[in-house]
């Protein structure tokens, strides 16, 4: 995507071979690009959410392995890097998928060949993510076209958290259909959930849409149900950090409540699902997916820009009040209208997913 007319990905290797990322902690008020040169820096970037979003976490982990292999390509180094990076975020399955893929490619090779192979595979993982998300957008475009044909005025889409290009290498998952619709000349309007506690909607999705010129309104998390009751939402599109073999969707906390409101009001609820985000080993998302509990300070503090331009965190709760901060929740498959994948629209059922991705499921089973 473009920032002030300049194309950017969220992660790339520069002309000197240094991996660069957009440090998303400072958006939307400050656009910062930072280099990642060591395994420890990659781990910090993932854990402390300099980068976030399941696909981007996976791509970052792949480059973390590549950088480490350039410094120490030994077997112990490869094994230790897998463990260190895997421990950074427990919920997003793309992290483990990317680390497993790097290990699969590198383990059979002699150490002398690992650095070059690792850099090649990390770059391929990034390119594959871009194409996956482009295809998700093209399939989602058909749904938006169908809605547009039935109504006058823009197609009103509600999205939660940030499943945009900032959460991937490019295009985004939930936003890819929106960008494709805009390019096709279809009027769209997006309701952007603020997405407490880290405000990824208010800070990231709104920044993306604003930069791209997509009409949008920022809403508080609790407003979505009201808008659906009054017929102001045509469809919901969200992303996913892990989807089970039967179609349960683990995504940013608050997604489940949006799905319930959508079902109650007859609003279609779609999940943009890149295939690396499927966890074929898990069936019951509510009981089997580990939910990351983050620091309570993310709930009790809010970051913003002061009138004099400083980016500050302020406390919004009384001293002595503790906070719970589950980062994700699970939306059961029966609340999902359909899964938007790079291969097309897939039913959120075990049979539907097995049919759409029979090769991937077989590979895991084997």
């Amino acid at each position: 995507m473009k920032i002030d007319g300049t194309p950017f990905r969220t992660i790339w290797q520069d002309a000197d071979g240094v991996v660069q990322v957009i440090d998303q902690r400072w958006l939307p008020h400050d656009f910062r690009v930072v280099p990642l040169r060591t395994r420890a820096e990659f781990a910090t970037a993932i854990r402390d959410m300099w980068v976030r979003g399941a696909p981007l976490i996976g791509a970052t982990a792949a480059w973390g392995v590549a950088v480490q292999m350039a410094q120490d390509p030994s077997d112990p180094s490869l094994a230790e890097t897998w463990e260190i990076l895997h421990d950074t975020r427990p919920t997003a399955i793309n992290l483990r998928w990317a680390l497993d893929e790097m290990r699969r490619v590198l383990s059979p090779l002699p150490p002398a060949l690992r650095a070059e192979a690792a850099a090649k595979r990390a770059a391929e993982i990034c390119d594959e993510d871009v194409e996956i998300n482009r295809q998700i957008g093209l399939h989602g475009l058909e749904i938006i076209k169908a809605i547009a044909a039935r109504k006058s005025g823009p197609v009103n889409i509600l999205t939660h958290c940030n499943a945009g290009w900032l959460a991937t290498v490019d295009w985004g998952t939930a936003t890819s259909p929106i960008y494709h619709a805009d390019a096709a000349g279809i009027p769209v309007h997006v309701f952007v959930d603020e997405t407490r506690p880290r405000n990824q909607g208010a800070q990231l999705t709104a920044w993306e849409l604003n930069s791209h010129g997509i009409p949008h309104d920022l809403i508080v998390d609790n407003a979505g149900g009201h808008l659906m009751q009054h017929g102001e939402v045509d469809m919901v599109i969200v992303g996913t950090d892990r989807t089970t073999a039967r179609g349960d969707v683990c995504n940013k906390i608050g997604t489940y409540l949006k799905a319930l409101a959508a079902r109650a009001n007859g609003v279609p609820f779609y999940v943009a699902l890149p295939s690396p985000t499927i966890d074929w080993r898990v069936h019951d998302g509510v009981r089997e997916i580990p939910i990351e509990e983050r620091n309570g300070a993310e709930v009790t503090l809010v970051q913003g820009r002061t009138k004099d331009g400083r980016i500050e965190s302020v406390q919004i709760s009384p001293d002595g009040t503790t906070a719970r901060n589950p980062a994700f929740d699970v939306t059961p498959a029966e609340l999902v209208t359909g899964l938007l994948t790079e291969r097309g629209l897939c039913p959120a059922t075990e049979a539907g997913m097995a049919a759409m991705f029979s090769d991937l499921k077989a590979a895991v089973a084997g």
Side-chain angles (χ1 to χ4, degrees):
M1 308 305 288
K2 291 183 178 180
I3 301 172
D4 295 330
T6 301
F8 274 89
R9 288 185 173 187
T10 52
I11 186 168
W12 66 96
Q13 191 177 39
D14 67 18
D16 296 322
V18 178
V19 177
Q20 306 280 346
V21 298
I22 298 171
D23 186 345
Q24 299 182 29
R25 295 173 299 167
W26 308 102
L27 291 173
H29 307 301
D30 192 7
F31 178 72
R32 301 184 187 183
V33 172
V34 296
L36 301 178
R37 293 189 172 91
T38 67
R39 181 175 64 191
E41 289 177 348
F42 278 90
T44 298
I46 297 170
R47 182 182 297 107
D48 293 350
M49 296 179 70
W50 305 10
V51 297
R52 20 76 48 210
L56 179 54
I57 287 172
T60 304
W63 272 116
V65 173
V67 166
Q68 179 64 19
M69 290 300 95
Q71 298 171 5
D72 179 1
S74 67
D75 286 346
S77 174
L78 179 59
E80 186 178 59
T81 300
W82 193 101
E83 294 291 345
I84 288 172
L85 294 177
H86 183 259
D87 287 346
T88 54
R89 300 288 303 274
T91 302
I93 194 62
N94 296 62
L95 174 63
R96 192 187 71 209
W97 174 86
L99 291 171
D100 285 348
E101 176 64 12
M102 295 297 286
R103 184 168 59 184
R104 180 191 69 80
V105 170
L106 299 175
S107 291
L109 299 177
L113 299 181
R114 285 177 177 168
E116 182 178 355
K120 180 175 181 292
R121 187 67 188 113
E124 289 171 349
I125 286 173
C126 290
D127 290 341
E128 290 164 6
D129 180 68
V130 175
E131 180 58 17
I132 284 172
N133 297 327
R134 189 181 76 86
Q135 291 294 333
I136 287 173
L138 291 174
H139 294 302
L141 171 61
E142 297 306 311
I143 296 173
I144 296 175
K145 280 183 178 178
I147 294 174
R150 300 194 299 265
K151 64 170 296 189
S152 60
V155 176
N156 290 303
I157 302 168
L158 186 145
T159 190
H160 186 66
C161 195
N162 174 254
W165 72 269
L166 287 168
T168 66
V169 179
D170 208 345
W171 281 108
T173 57
T175 57
S176 187
I178 296 168
Y179 292 136
H180 277 89
D182 179 70
I186 300 173
V188 292
H189 168 269
V190 184
F191 288 114
V192 180
D193 275 355
E194 60 181 345
T195 321
R196 286 279 292 147
R198 290 187 65 95
N199 293 317
Q200 292 103 319
Q203 296 181 340
L204 303 179
T205 303
W207 180 79
E208 276 193 39
L209 297 175
N210 193 55
S211 298
H212 204 81
I214 304 290
H216 62 283
D217 286 308
L218 177 64
I219 60 173
V220 298
D221 288 342
N222 292 331
H226 167 78
L227 295 173
M228 292 183 210
Q229 279 184 327
H230 289 268
E232 294 192 51
V233 179
D234 295 308
M235 63 186 297
V236 179
I237 311 179
V238 301
T240 174
D241 288 84
R242 184 185 301 205
T243 297
T244 71
R246 72 178 186 187
D248 298 333
V249 173
C250 182
N251 193 50
K252 181 67 180 180
I253 193 76
T255 303
Y256 175 44
L257 294 178
K258 294 301 181 297
L260 289 170
R263 173 57 61 89
N265 292 282
V267 176
F269 183 92
Y270 293 100
V271 176
L273 169 64
S275 58
T277 313
I278 303 170
D279 190 344
W280 296 104
R281 306 169 311 158
V282 171
H283 291 266
D284 187 336
V286 174
R287 291 171 176 80
E288 296 181 63
I289 295 178
I291 300 300
E292 178 182 1
E293 285 264 357
R294 295 186 60 82
N295 194 314
E298 293 181 351
V299 177
T300 60
L301 302 176
V302 173
Q303 178 177 288
R305 184 173 61 189
T306 62
K307 288 184 178 180
D308 60 3
R310 292 177 293 113
I311 298 175
E312 298 282 356
S313 291
V314 296
Q315 182 173 320
I316 61 172
S317 60
D319 289 340
T321 295
T322 59
R324 286 287 305 277
N325 188 15
F328 304 91
D329 59 25
V330 174
T331 298
E334 58 267 23
L335 296 177
V336 178
T337 305
L339 301 167
L340 273 170
T341 80
E342 68 268 27
R343 298 185 183 181
L345 184 62
C346 176
T349 64
E350 189 159 6
M353 294 181 66
M356 179 73 77
F357 296 104
S358 58
D359 55 331
L360 301 182
K361 185 176 182 180
V364 172

